Amino acid sequence: MDSRIGNLYPSSKFTFIILIILLSMFVPGFIFQYIIFLFIFLISLFSGTAIKFLSTFMKSIPILIIFIFIFQVFLIVNDDSQQIWAFIHFSQIGLMTSLTMTSKIVAISSSIIWFFQVTRVKDIVYALEQSGVSQKVTFVIASTIQLIPQMLNLSRTIADAQKSRGIETEGNLFVRVKAFIPMIGPLVLSSIQQIEERVLALESRAFSSKAKKTSIYELKKQKIDYIIMIFCVLVPIVYIVWRIKL
């Protein structure tokens, strides 16, 4: 996040992500979408988040891609389907469909993962407030973004506490499910306690006050931010004109 790319204004990075999503959705085929993934990975290298980016991506997206590939290629029956065994078929149409679908998922998901890894939550909140968004809305957005990481950290803390008390938390699926049940109570109660503490902290900072608020933290747009935003607006327009003339 402390790289030159990470220090860009959130709106310029968000506009770039919107451009990636639009191009991924409307550019036909699948080669361009996979090139986008390589491009995002290259940017993550310059951002200093390449290892974290690959780790997050590989933990979630490949499972979805494999599921779609198996379903489209071997299970869905198309006009060119050739039976392999029982209900299992092979389809060239299904293969092309799966490549098209998964390429879009790869391009869009990789760009979103990169955005949240190079953009601080406080930067997003600051940019939203400066654009005139209500503080209540920005609080909900910030809480939603931070919810999963906070729950993961809290669950790890509770799991470590359970281990120190002699509860077995590692092993086969049955052992893990059995260990998960005692964690539910402390996890829910700790979450409720954190919500109460957060409400008290917000009220102590005059969150509900209607007076105009000032911020010690400042984030200014640079010249490169304006260039990126103009570029991201011009590219879709040029692409639409080019497609119409074809």
Side-chain angles (χ1 to χ4, degrees), residues 119-152:
T119 311
R120 303 177 185 88
V121 176
K122 66 177 181 180
D123 290 349
I124 297 173
V125 172
Y126 180 84
L128 289 172
E129 289 179 351
Q130 291 299 309
S131 63
V133 179
S134 170
Q135 277 196 323
K136 293 182 179 179
V137 175
T138 57
F139 173 72
V140 171
I141 293 173
S143 299
T144 304
I145 295 172
Q146 294 175 330
L147 178 62
I148 295 177
Q150 288 176 350
M151 293 294 288
L152 287 174

mmCIF file of all heavy atoms in Angstrom, residues 119-152:
data_model
loop_
_atom_site.group_PDB
_atom_site.id
_atom_site.type_symbol
_atom_site.label_atom_id
_atom_site.label_comp_id
_atom_site.label_asym_id
_atom_site.label_seq_id
_atom_site.Cartn_x
_atom_site.Cartn_y
_atom_site.Cartn_z
ATOM 1 N N THR A 119 -5.463 -0.552 -1.466
ATOM 2 C CA THR A 119 -6.245 0.604 -1.030
ATOM 3 C C THR A 119 -6.630 0.440 0.430
ATOM 4 O O THR A 119 -7.279 -0.546 0.798
ATOM 5 C CB THR A 119 -7.523 0.773 -1.871
ATOM 6 O OG1 THR A 119 -7.194 0.710 -3.259
ATOM 7 C CG2 THR A 119 -8.205 2.093 -1.569
ATOM 8 N N ARG A 120 -6.240 1.385 1.250
ATOM 9 C CA ARG A 120 -6.591 1.345 2.665
ATOM 10 C C ARG A 120 -8.076 1.640 2.846
ATOM 11 O O ARG A 120 -8.643 2.432 2.093
ATOM 12 C CB ARG A 120 -5.768 2.360 3.452
ATOM 13 C CG ARG A 120 -4.266 2.204 3.326
ATOM 14 C CD ARG A 120 -3.562 3.301 4.095
ATOM 15 N NE ARG A 120 -2.118 3.260 3.909
ATOM 16 C CZ ARG A 120 -1.468 3.876 2.935
ATOM 17 N NH1 ARG A 120 -2.147 4.593 2.044
ATOM 18 N NH2 ARG A 120 -0.162 3.791 2.827
ATOM 19 N N VAL A 121 -8.652 1.029 3.866
ATOM 20 C CA VAL A 121 -10.071 1.263 4.155
ATOM 21 C C VAL A 121 -10.295 2.733 4.513
ATOM 22 O O VAL A 121 -11.286 3.341 4.097
ATOM 23 C CB VAL A 121 -10.551 0.346 5.303
ATOM 24 C CG1 VAL A 121 -12.007 0.658 5.664
ATOM 25 C CG2 VAL A 121 -10.408 -1.108 4.914
ATOM 26 N N LYS A 122 -9.376 3.320 5.261
ATOM 27 C CA LYS A 122 -9.531 4.725 5.650
ATOM 28 C C LYS A 122 -9.458 5.651 4.438
ATOM 29 O O LYS A 122 -10.094 6.713 4.419
ATOM 30 C CB LYS A 122 -8.496 5.119 6.698
ATOM 31 C CG LYS A 122 -7.056 5.096 6.225
ATOM 32 C CD LYS A 122 -6.129 5.574 7.338
ATOM 33 C CE LYS A 122 -4.673 5.585 6.887
ATOM 34 N NZ LYS A 122 -3.780 6.060 7.980
ATOM 35 N N ASP A 123 -8.709 5.230 3.389
ATOM 36 C CA ASP A 123 -8.661 6.018 2.159
ATOM 37 C C ASP A 123 -10.004 5.966 1.432
ATOM 38 O O ASP A 123 -10.470 6.975 0.888
ATOM 39 C CB ASP A 123 -7.561 5.503 1.239
ATOM 40 C CG ASP A 123 -6.173 5.799 1.781
ATOM 41 O OD1 ASP A 123 -6.073 6.571 2.749
ATOM 42 O OD2 ASP A 123 -5.199 5.245 1.240
ATOM 43 N N ILE A 124 -10.620 4.776 1.411
ATOM 44 C CA ILE A 124 -11.929 4.633 0.787
ATOM 45 C C ILE A 124 -12.961 5.472 1.518
ATOM 46 O O ILE A 124 -13.766 6.187 0.893
ATOM 47 C CB ILE A 124 -12.358 3.147 0.768
ATOM 48 C CG1 ILE A 124 -11.390 2.322 -0.073
ATOM 49 C CG2 ILE A 124 -13.783 2.995 0.231
ATOM 50 C CD1 ILE A 124 -11.638 0.832 -0.024
ATOM 51 N N VAL A 125 -12.942 5.413 2.849
ATOM 52 C CA VAL A 125 -13.891 6.188 3.660
ATOM 53 C C VAL A 125 -13.682 7.684 3.438
ATOM 54 O O VAL A 125 -14.646 8.443 3.268
ATOM 55 C CB VAL A 125 -13.728 5.842 5.153
ATOM 56 C CG1 VAL A 125 -14.559 6.768 6.030
ATOM 57 C CG2 VAL A 125 -14.132 4.391 5.399
ATOM 58 N N TYR A 126 -12.417 8.116 3.430
ATOM 59 C CA TYR A 126 -12.114 9.538 3.230
ATOM 60 C C TYR A 126 -12.593 10.014 1.861
ATOM 61 O O TYR A 126 -13.202 11.096 1.743
ATOM 62 C CB TYR A 126 -10.610 9.771 3.373
ATOM 63 C CG TYR A 126 -10.187 11.207 3.181
ATOM 64 C CD1 TYR A 126 -10.250 12.122 4.230
ATOM 65 C CD2 TYR A 126 -9.732 11.658 1.937
ATOM 66 C CE1 TYR A 126 -9.863 13.446 4.043
ATOM 67 C CE2 TYR A 126 -9.352 12.971 1.746
ATOM 68 C CZ TYR A 126 -9.409 13.859 2.803
ATOM 69 O OH TYR A 126 -9.044 15.170 2.616
ATOM 70 N N ALA A 127 -12.344 9.218 0.822
ATOM 71 C CA ALA A 127 -12.756 9.593 -0.536
ATOM 72 C C ALA A 127 -14.274 9.670 -0.639
ATOM 73 O O ALA A 127 -14.817 10.569 -1.294
ATOM 74 C CB ALA A 127 -12.202 8.596 -1.540
ATOM 75 N N LEU A 128 -14.979 8.755 0.005
ATOM 76 C CA LEU A 128 -16.443 8.764 -0.021
ATOM 77 C C LEU A 128 -16.988 9.986 0.701
ATOM 78 O O LEU A 128 -17.935 10.634 0.229
ATOM 79 C CB LEU A 128 -16.992 7.483 0.616
ATOM 80 C CG LEU A 128 -16.804 6.194 -0.183
ATOM 81 C CD1 LEU A 128 -17.207 4.988 0.644
ATOM 82 C CD2 LEU A 128 -17.620 6.242 -1.474
ATOM 83 N N GLU A 129 -16.407 10.309 1.848
ATOM 84 C CA GLU A 129 -16.864 11.474 2.599
ATOM 85 C C GLU A 129 -16.592 12.768 1.837
ATOM 86 O O GLU A 129 -17.425 13.690 1.853
ATOM 87 C CB GLU A 129 -16.183 11.507 3.968
ATOM 88 C CG GLU A 129 -16.663 10.421 4.924
ATOM 89 C CD GLU A 129 -15.946 10.460 6.253
ATOM 90 O OE1 GLU A 129 -14.953 11.238 6.370
ATOM 91 O OE2 GLU A 129 -16.357 9.739 7.180
ATOM 92 N N GLN A 130 -15.444 12.828 1.160
ATOM 93 C CA GLN A 130 -15.123 14.027 0.383
ATOM 94 C C GLN A 130 -16.032 14.178 -0.835
ATOM 95 O O GLN A 130 -16.253 15.296 -1.303
ATOM 96 C CB GLN A 130 -13.659 13.967 -0.074
ATOM 97 C CG GLN A 130 -12.660 14.104 1.047
ATOM 98 C CD GLN A 130 -12.779 15.426 1.783
ATOM 99 O OE1 GLN A 130 -12.782 16.493 1.175
ATOM 100 N NE2 GLN A 130 -12.868 15.369 3.107
ATOM 101 N N SER A 131 -16.568 13.078 -1.317
ATOM 102 C CA SER A 131 -17.488 13.133 -2.460
ATOM 103 C C SER A 131 -18.930 13.426 -2.043
ATOM 104 O O SER A 131 -19.812 13.509 -2.892
ATOM 105 C CB SER A 131 -17.440 11.816 -3.232
ATOM 106 O OG SER A 131 -17.874 10.740 -2.418
ATOM 107 N N GLY A 132 -19.166 13.575 -0.733
ATOM 108 C CA GLY A 132 -20.483 13.957 -0.247
ATOM 109 C C GLY A 132 -21.341 12.821 0.265
ATOM 110 O O GLY A 132 -22.519 13.018 0.571
ATOM 111 N N VAL A 133 -20.779 11.622 0.380
ATOM 112 C CA VAL A 133 -21.542 10.483 0.883
ATOM 113 C C VAL A 133 -21.738 10.619 2.388
ATOM 114 O O VAL A 133 -20.830 11.066 3.107
ATOM 115 C CB VAL A 133 -20.823 9.155 0.553
ATOM 116 C CG1 VAL A 133 -21.586 7.956 1.102
ATOM 117 C CG2 VAL A 133 -20.642 9.022 -0.948
ATOM 118 N N SER A 134 -22.898 10.238 2.877
ATOM 119 C CA SER A 134 -23.218 10.335 4.297
ATOM 120 C C SER A 134 -22.256 9.503 5.134
ATOM 121 O O SER A 134 -21.799 8.440 4.708
ATOM 122 C CB SER A 134 -24.655 9.869 4.544
ATOM 123 O OG SER A 134 -24.912 9.729 5.919
ATOM 124 N N GLN A 135 -21.989 9.971 6.361
ATOM 125 C CA GLN A 135 -21.090 9.244 7.243
ATOM 126 C C GLN A 135 -21.665 7.883 7.637
ATOM 127 O O GLN A 135 -20.917 6.929 7.854
ATOM 128 C CB GLN A 135 -20.802 10.069 8.504
ATOM 129 C CG GLN A 135 -19.701 11.110 8.307
ATOM 130 C CD GLN A 135 -19.186 11.632 9.626
ATOM 131 O OE1 GLN A 135 -19.951 11.802 10.569
ATOM 132 N NE2 GLN A 135 -17.904 11.889 9.710
ATOM 133 N N LYS A 136 -22.970 7.809 7.743
ATOM 134 C CA LYS A 136 -23.593 6.526 8.087
ATOM 135 C C LYS A 136 -23.357 5.498 6.987
ATOM 136 O O LYS A 136 -23.093 4.329 7.264
ATOM 137 C CB LYS A 136 -25.089 6.722 8.328
ATOM 138 C CG LYS A 136 -25.415 7.558 9.562
ATOM 139 C CD LYS A 136 -26.913 7.685 9.767
ATOM 140 C CE LYS A 136 -27.211 8.508 11.018
ATOM 141 N NZ LYS A 136 -28.664 8.670 11.248
ATOM 142 N N VAL A 137 -23.449 5.956 5.740
ATOM 143 C CA VAL A 137 -23.213 5.054 4.607
ATOM 144 C C VAL A 137 -21.752 4.615 4.565
ATOM 145 O O VAL A 137 -21.448 3.434 4.364
ATOM 146 C CB VAL A 137 -23.605 5.732 3.273
ATOM 147 C CG1 VAL A 137 -23.256 4.843 2.091
ATOM 148 C CG2 VAL A 137 -25.084 6.077 3.270
ATOM 149 N N THR A 138 -20.835 5.556 4.779
ATOM 150 C CA THR A 138 -19.408 5.216 4.766
ATOM 151 C C THR A 138 -19.058 4.273 5.914
ATOM 152 O O THR A 138 -18.209 3.386 5.763
ATOM 153 C CB THR A 138 -18.542 6.484 4.874
ATOM 154 O OG1 THR A 138 -18.895 7.205 6.064
ATOM 155 C CG2 THR A 138 -18.751 7.385 3.676
ATOM 156 N N PHE A 139 -19.723 4.450 7.064
ATOM 157 C CA PHE A 139 -19.479 3.551 8.190
ATOM 158 C C PHE A 139 -19.931 2.128 7.868
ATOM 159 O O PHE A 139 -19.241 1.155 8.185
ATOM 160 C CB PHE A 139 -20.202 4.062 9.437
ATOM 161 C CG PHE A 139 -20.137 3.111 10.602
ATOM 162 C CD1 PHE A 139 -18.957 2.932 11.297
ATOM 163 C CD2 PHE A 139 -21.253 2.373 10.978
ATOM 164 C CE1 PHE A 139 -18.884 2.034 12.366
ATOM 165 C CE2 PHE A 139 -21.195 1.490 12.040
ATOM 166 C CZ PHE A 139 -20.011 1.316 12.733
ATOM 167 N N VAL A 140 -21.094 2.013 7.224
ATOM 168 C CA VAL A 140 -21.595 0.684 6.842
ATOM 169 C C VAL A 140 -20.653 0.027 5.840
ATOM 170 O O VAL A 140 -20.345 -1.169 5.953
ATOM 171 C CB VAL A 140 -23.024 0.796 6.254
ATOM 172 C CG1 VAL A 140 -23.464 -0.530 5.651
ATOM 173 C CG2 VAL A 140 -24.012 1.241 7.325
ATOM 174 N N ILE A 141 -20.167 0.799 4.860
ATOM 175 C CA ILE A 141 -19.258 0.256 3.845
ATOM 176 C C ILE A 141 -17.949 -0.189 4.487
ATOM 177 O O ILE A 141 -17.445 -1.294 4.218
ATOM 178 C CB ILE A 141 -18.992 1.305 2.749
ATOM 179 C CG1 ILE A 141 -20.277 1.577 1.961
ATOM 180 C CG2 ILE A 141 -17.881 0.840 1.806
ATOM 181 C CD1 ILE A 141 -20.160 2.710 0.976
ATOM 182 N N ALA A 142 -17.391 0.655 5.368
ATOM 183 C CA ALA A 142 -16.132 0.320 6.034
ATOM 184 C C ALA A 142 -16.292 -0.906 6.931
ATOM 185 O O ALA A 142 -15.421 -1.786 6.963
ATOM 186 C CB ALA A 142 -15.641 1.506 6.850
ATOM 187 N N SER A 143 -17.412 -0.992 7.641
ATOM 188 C CA SER A 143 -17.658 -2.141 8.524
ATOM 189 C C SER A 143 -17.799 -3.421 7.721
ATOM 190 O O SER A 143 -17.328 -4.481 8.135
ATOM 191 C CB SER A 143 -18.923 -1.895 9.356
ATOM 192 O OG SER A 143 -18.781 -0.749 10.164
ATOM 193 N N THR A 144 -18.459 -3.327 6.557
ATOM 194 C CA THR A 144 -18.639 -4.508 5.706
ATOM 195 C C THR A 144 -17.302 -5.003 5.165
ATOM 196 O O THR A 144 -17.043 -6.215 5.127
ATOM 197 C CB THR A 144 -19.580 -4.183 4.536
ATOM 198 O OG1 THR A 144 -20.829 -3.697 5.052
ATOM 199 C CG2 THR A 144 -19.840 -5.417 3.692
ATOM 200 N N ILE A 145 -16.435 -4.065 4.752
ATOM 201 C CA ILE A 145 -15.125 -4.444 4.218
ATOM 202 C C ILE A 145 -14.269 -5.104 5.299
ATOM 203 O O ILE A 145 -13.556 -6.082 5.047
ATOM 204 C CB ILE A 145 -14.400 -3.210 3.648
ATOM 205 C CG1 ILE A 145 -15.168 -2.662 2.428
ATOM 206 C CG2 ILE A 145 -12.965 -3.540 3.252
ATOM 207 C CD1 ILE A 145 -14.631 -1.355 1.920
ATOM 208 N N GLN A 146 -14.355 -4.584 6.521
ATOM 209 C CA GLN A 146 -13.512 -5.076 7.606
ATOM 210 C C GLN A 146 -14.103 -6.280 8.329
ATOM 211 O O GLN A 146 -13.421 -6.888 9.153
ATOM 212 C CB GLN A 146 -13.283 -3.957 8.624
ATOM 213 C CG GLN A 146 -12.477 -2.795 8.075
ATOM 214 C CD GLN A 146 -12.380 -1.646 9.064
ATOM 215 O OE1 GLN A 146 -13.274 -1.438 9.870
ATOM 216 N NE2 GLN A 146 -11.284 -0.915 9.011
ATOM 217 N N LEU A 147 -15.354 -6.641 8.033
ATOM 218 C CA LEU A 147 -16.049 -7.685 8.780
ATOM 219 C C LEU A 147 -15.336 -9.041 8.678
ATOM 220 O O LEU A 147 -15.041 -9.672 9.700
ATOM 221 C CB LEU A 147 -17.491 -7.816 8.286
ATOM 222 C CG LEU A 147 -18.330 -8.912 8.960
ATOM 223 C CD1 LEU A 147 -18.478 -8.618 10.453
ATOM 224 C CD2 LEU A 147 -19.704 -9.020 8.292
ATOM 225 N N ILE A 148 -15.063 -9.494 7.446
ATOM 226 C CA ILE A 148 -14.473 -10.826 7.261
ATOM 227 C C ILE A 148 -13.074 -10.922 7.881
ATOM 228 O O ILE A 148 -12.797 -11.879 8.619
ATOM 229 C CB ILE A 148 -14.452 -11.197 5.765
ATOM 230 C CG1 ILE A 148 -15.895 -11.336 5.237
ATOM 231 C CG2 ILE A 148 -13.677 -12.492 5.542
ATOM 232 C CD1 ILE A 148 -15.985 -11.634 3.760
ATOM 233 N N PRO A 149 -12.153 -9.952 7.632
ATOM 234 C CA PRO A 149 -10.842 -10.043 8.294
ATOM 235 C C PRO A 149 -10.938 -10.040 9.817
ATOM 236 O O PRO A 149 -10.199 -10.774 10.485
ATOM 237 C CB PRO A 149 -10.104 -8.786 7.782
ATOM 238 C CG PRO A 149 -10.764 -8.457 6.501
ATOM 239 C CD PRO A 149 -12.197 -8.823 6.689
ATOM 240 N N GLN A 150 -11.839 -9.226 10.368
ATOM 241 C CA GLN A 150 -11.996 -9.181 11.822
ATOM 242 C C GLN A 150 -12.519 -10.496 12.373
ATOM 243 O O GLN A 150 -12.049 -10.977 13.410
ATOM 244 C CB GLN A 150 -12.936 -8.034 12.204
ATOM 245 C CG GLN A 150 -12.324 -6.652 12.040
ATOM 246 C CD GLN A 150 -13.316 -5.538 12.336
ATOM 247 O OE1 GLN A 150 -14.507 -5.768 12.483
ATOM 248 N NE2 GLN A 150 -12.810 -4.323 12.416
ATOM 249 N N MET A 151 -13.497 -11.094 11.672
ATOM 250 C CA MET A 151 -14.039 -12.375 12.112
ATOM 251 C C MET A 151 -12.984 -13.479 12.018
ATOM 252 O O MET A 151 -12.919 -14.359 12.893
ATOM 253 C CB MET A 151 -15.262 -12.739 11.267
ATOM 254 C CG MET A 151 -16.457 -11.817 11.467
ATOM 255 S SD MET A 151 -17.159 -11.916 13.126
ATOM 256 C CE MET A 151 -17.952 -13.517 13.058
ATOM 257 N N LEU A 152 -12.153 -13.445 10.981
ATOM 258 C CA LEU A 152 -11.091 -14.438 10.842
ATOM 259 C C LEU A 152 -10.068 -14.322 11.963
ATOM 260 O O LEU A 152 -9.657 -15.329 12.558
ATOM 261 C CB LEU A 152 -10.402 -14.286 9.480
ATOM 262 C CG LEU A 152 -11.197 -14.743 8.259
ATOM 263 C CD1 LEU A 152 -10.448 -14.391 6.983
ATOM 264 C CD2 LEU A 152 -11.462 -16.241 8.305
#
